[in-house]
């Protein structure tokens, strides 16, 4: 079992920045951040493959968001810059030992409880 605890969600204005953190009990092959707006499907935002440190981002956040990890502190972070109202969502940390890192919710077994990010115009 893998425990994931997110923190860092807040309300910010358009153009602002936030850092989300996810404390993990152990590393898995693939670490990821997802987000979900009520009434919509959960969307993959960024993935980090711990085997080769490969990073992947959904097009809508490329150049604005950065996923990273602190191996010593066992934290995976999501740095979000130039936030826009459409980034408003509950953000979830996810982890699993999958062969290929993807942004599909079906591939992840372990989830955090989520943290709310609200961007106002």
């Amino acid at each position: 079992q893998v425990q994931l605890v997110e923190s860092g969600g807040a309300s910010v204005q358009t153009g602002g920045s936030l850092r989300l953190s996810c404390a993990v009990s152990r590393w898995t092959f693939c670490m990821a951040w997802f987000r979900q707006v009520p009434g919509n499907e959960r969307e993959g935002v960024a993935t980090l493959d711990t085997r080769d440190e490969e990073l992947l981002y959904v097009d809508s956040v490329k150049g604005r968001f950065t996923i990273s990890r602190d191996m010593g502190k066992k934290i995976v972070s999501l740095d979000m810059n130039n936030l826009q109202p459409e980034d408003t969502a509950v953000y979830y940390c996810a982890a699993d030992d999958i062969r290929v890192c993807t942004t599909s919710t079906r591939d992840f077994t372990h989830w955090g409880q989520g943290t709310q990010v609200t961007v106002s115009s």
Side-chain angles (χ1 to χ4, degrees):
Q1 189 67 16
V2 180
Q3 280 75 49
L4 306 168
V5 180
E6 302 101 331
S7 61
S11 295
V12 298
Q13 292 190 329
T14 298
S17 299
L18 280 177
R19 164 171 276 200
L20 304 183
S21 297
C22 174
V24 308
S25 60
R26 70 167 179 87
W27 295 112
T28 62
F29 293 160
C30 190
M31 309 298 299
W33 284 96
F34 287 76
R35 64 186 179 186
Q36 187 170 24
V37 176
N40 289 4
E41 291 187 358
R42 195 167 294 187
E43 172 193 35
V45 174
T47 67
L48 186 156
D49 191 320
T50 61
R51 292 161 292 189
D52 59 8
E53 306 300 318
E54 181 178 9
L55 310 178
L56 292 175
Y57 299 94
V58 67
D59 285 346
S60 60
V61 307
K62 283 181 180 177
R64 300 189 299 124
F65 290 12
T66 303
I67 186 172
S68 62
R69 65 170 175 157
D70 184 320
M71 294 183 67
K73 295 181 179 179
K74 289 188 178 177
I75 291 175
V76 59
S77 298
L78 185 69
D79 288 297
M80 306 185 294
N81 296 310
N82 190 22
L83 283 161
Q84 302 297 312
E86 53 266 33
D87 295 317
T88 295
V90 177
Y91 283 72
Y92 297 89
C93 181
D96 217 308
D97 288 315
I98 50 180
R99 189 170 63 87
V100 178
C101 267
T102 75
T103 53
S104 172
T105 56
R106 294 189 299 270
D107 291 335
F108 289 86
T109 303
H110 310 289
W111 295 88
Q113 81 288 353
T115 186
Q116 177 71 47
V117 172
T118 303
V119 185
S120 58
S121 57

